[in-house]
């Protein structure tokens, strides 16, 4: 919440490139939320909010959830399989033919 908008306007300026983008897109940069500079209480023409999300799960969400669970289970299985697998013996020393004792 801005407590002193007049003080903020004295020390803060909006960059020209920001204003240019708004003008190019037809977004008002003066007035209230609807761009009305005469009657600030008139919000006719204000942009509408986006529609709310659908209630419950959608088909896309269920498919995404199923594949996420399957990939998580597959990952856990692969990690367990690797952990329980027979490990090859660790070779110590140096490669043969180097002239050093192993």
């Amino acid at each position: 919440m801005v407590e002193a908008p007049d003080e903020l306007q004295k020390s803060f300026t909006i960059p020209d490139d920001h204003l240019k983008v708004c003008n190019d897109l037809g977004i008002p940069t003066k007035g209230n939320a609807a761009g009305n500079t005469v009657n600030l209480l008139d919000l006719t023409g204000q942009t509408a909010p986006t529609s709310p999300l659908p209630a419950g799960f959608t088909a896309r969400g269920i498919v995404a959830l199923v594949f996420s669970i399957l990939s998580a289970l597959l990952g856990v299985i692969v990690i367990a399989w690797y952990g329980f697998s027979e490990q090859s013996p660790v070779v110590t020393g140096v490669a043969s033919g180097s002239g050093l004792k192993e």
Side-chain angles (χ1 to χ4, degrees):
M1 192 69 144
V2 179
E3 292 182 11
D6 295 335
E7 293 299 319
L8 181 64
Q9 289 174 356
K10 290 177 186 175
S11 64
F12 182 76
T13 57
I14 300 172
D16 290 334
D17 58 341
H18 287 51
L19 294 173
K20 182 182 180 318
V21 170
C22 290
N23 289 332
D24 291 346
L25 295 175
I27 299 171
T29 57
K30 294 181 180 175
N32 61 9
N36 192 346
T37 56
V38 178
N39 182 4
L40 297 179
L41 298 177
D42 180 18
L43 294 176
T44 305
Q46 176 183 355
T47 56
T50 59
S51 59
L53 293 173
F57 287 103
T58 61
R60 264 176 78 179
I62 292 170
V63 169
L65 180 64
V66 167
F67 279 104
S68 296
I69 291 170
L70 288 176
S71 63
L73 290 175
L74 181 64
V76 170
I77 290 169
V78 167
I79 291 171
W81 173 57
Y82 178 77
F84 290 125
S85 67
E86 185 70 30
Q87 300 295 317
S88 60
V90 177
V91 178
T92 58
V94 294
S96 62
S98 65
L100 297 175
K101 284 183 149 182
E102 290 187 12

